Structures are given as C-alpha cells and as structure tokens.
Amino acid sequence: MTRMPGDAFRIAENAPLRSRNTFGVEANAPWLVEIAEARALPQVFALPQLQAAPPLLLGGGSNLLFAGDAPGAVLSLQADGVRIIEDDGTTAIVHAEAGKTWHDFVLWSLGQGLCGLENLALIPGTVGAAPIQNIGAYGTEVGEFVRRVHAWDRAEGAFVALDAAACAFGYRDSVFKQEPDRRFVVAVEFALPRQRAPKIEYAGLPEELAAMGVVAPTPRDVAEAVIRVRTRKLPDPALLGNAGSFFKNPIIPAAQAEALLATHAGMPVFRGDSVATRKLSAGWLIDQCGWKGFRDGDAGVSAAHALVLVNHGRATGAQLLALARRIAASVQERFGVAIEPEPKLIGASW
Ligand code: EPU
C-alpha cells in the first residue's frame, strides 16, 4: 500500500476484491485507490494509473458481478458523514456522503424523526450507490426523496450537482446508469418529511404488521416489518454470497401481457412505466421454469427467492454469469420474454 501526501488517498497494486463484493467471487483490481474524502478526487482522477481504462467506483459491492478482473483502477470512497443542512419543521434536507452504509443511514433518519426511507430498510450497499440504480422496495423508490446528487463528472473534469429531474430516475434506472463511467457520486441530498402517511400496501407488509400486532404503524414499525420480510425472503450476503435480485422485472407491451395471461392465469402483472406497458415478475417467470433452489457446483439459485443468484462458496463470476444466461434463455423460450441483469457486470457484457 502506497501512502500519499496527507493521506488523502492510498493506492494498492494488484488488490484482491473477494471481500469487496457481496457475491464473494474472486477478482483482482490492477489498482485499488482508497479515498478518504471527495475533495481528493481531482488529484485521483489525474493519476496515471487511471488513464488506461475507466475506473470503477465501488460502494458496498452489493450490486455487481465480477465476471472477470476489474479492467481498470477500483476506487473506494470512505467519507460517510451525514448532517441536516436545512429544516423548516416540515421537511429536513439531509446531506449524506457516499460511503455511508445505506441501512445505517435509514436507521439514522428514523432516529431523527424523519420519514420516507422506512420501506427501504436493510437494502445492502451505500448511500452513494442508492441513486445509481434508484433502489426500490415495498412500494418506494429512493428517487422520490432525492433532492440533489453531488458527483465528480469525468467528462467535465469538475464536481457537479444534479437535481432530481436531471437524475432521470426510472425503475432501477437513472442518468448515472445511462451514462456509465461518467459521473461518480460523492454525496446525496435527501428531502425527508417529518410526517407522512405510511406506505404499507405492498403484498406481505400488511400481513407482517398484523403479525407484529401493530394497528397504526409508525415509520419505525414499517421499517421493522420490512426488515422481517426481507430477512425471511432474501439471503444474507454475509452468510451466502448474492447481489439481491439478479434480474430486473421485465416491462413488456400491455398486449403481450394480456396474451400471456390467457395461457398463464396466475401470472402476477403490475403496472408498467406507461399505460401501454406492464411489468412482470421475473421471480415468478424463473420459478415457473423450475430454477428455484437449483445448484450447479457452487453457482445456484436461492431456495427462498427465484430472483436471487447465490454463490455457495467458490463459484466464479463466469460460472454465475453462465447460470444467469441459462436462466434467461429458458424464460425467453417458455414465455417469449427477455430478462436482463440488474447488477452491473464487470469484465463481460450481457
Ligand atoms: N415470486 C415467485 N417465486 C419466487 C419469488 C417471487 O413466484 O421465487 C413471485 C411472487 O408471486 C410475488 C412476485 O413474484 O408475488 C413478486 O415477488 P417479490 O415481492 O419478492 O418482489 P420482486 O418483484 O421479486 C422486487 C425487487 C426487490 C424488492 C422487492 C420488494 C426488483 C428486480 N426486485 O422483487 O429488490 O426487495 O420487489 O419490493 O425489482 C433488489 O433489487 O435487489 C431487490 C431485492
């Protein structure tokens, strides 16, 4: 590890990444740069080691699959400060640095009496990663609460601030995903209300709250219910390598969904991104193809949720990707629907 002046950042050569991705697959980075504070980024981006290939900014490593080694330098931003920068008694503006663990941030916000993020409890990863794929769960997407995103823009060679509209949030989508390798999120500003009607319609939540004996749920109750449901349904990456949902739920033309319903009456169908589209459940489609609990060597599909690929120990990223391709091909063949990975693929394309 080379220490740099003032320790604003440090560089390691040929760094192992196994403990830095929640799939727990082996991969190396030619350079790993650990950055204490965002203000060091102009200096970091000027390093000769970053010129050969676009760098990868790694958060919690919970939404990517290393199908091979990282082609370029891997950056890790450690700054994790959180503070309220405005508060009119109704809504607080919170500034959170990218390195903050997402779930800790959700708990902190609830502790401050702020609402909105309770449905997003226990999502792995960091604050900085949250807007990139517009994390969502149990009827809430983070984009609803993002006021601005601060990023280093490689194209501009400058820090920029994007308001929510400029972030172009969609289902598991944003401008950061649309223009990969361009902007590196350094902090997120959230607008969080002090009061809000709880959002508890998502299937499973009312049942969980009832089982908890809660009649008028507070945001903390909702978070607790979400934590219970997630813990039951989704494997803990600390115990079984995974990256949450491996596939996005496909959005298809409404007419195609109608045609599929005619032959598959039990198929869950949700509203799409317009009146002309519908969203299907990739988990259901994969389950129907018989993959739940499947295992080939150490690469497998969770027995609890068909949408989650798991690493039982020593699976390689390439083996997990090969399994993902087999799953997608079977869904395509049986239902005529294309499903695509949700995590970022490193060293391969879909
Ligand atoms: N289903 C099955 N078999 C399964 C799993 C699910 O048939 O093995 C069916 C069920 O019928 C259920 C439907 O699929 O009605 C939906 O399942 P679930 O409620 O678990 O939600 P999901 O659509 O599979 C999405 C997100 C999750 C998020 C949950 C809850 C995506 C790709 N995934 O999953 O996000 O936690 O909703 O809101 O949108 C993630 O992105 O990593 C993630 C875990």
Side-chain angles (χ1 to χ4, degrees), residues 2-15:
T2 314
R3 285 187 179 273
M4 304 306 285
D7 268 348
F9 60 89
R10 22 184 221 165
I11 309 182
E13 195 174 348
N14 196 24

Side-chain angles (χ1 to χ4, degrees), residues 312-329:
H312 288 282
R314 307 297 298 186
T316 65
Q319 287 166 342
L320 287 158
L321 183 59
L323 174 57
R325 292 197 205 285
R326 286 174 64 191
I327 292 170

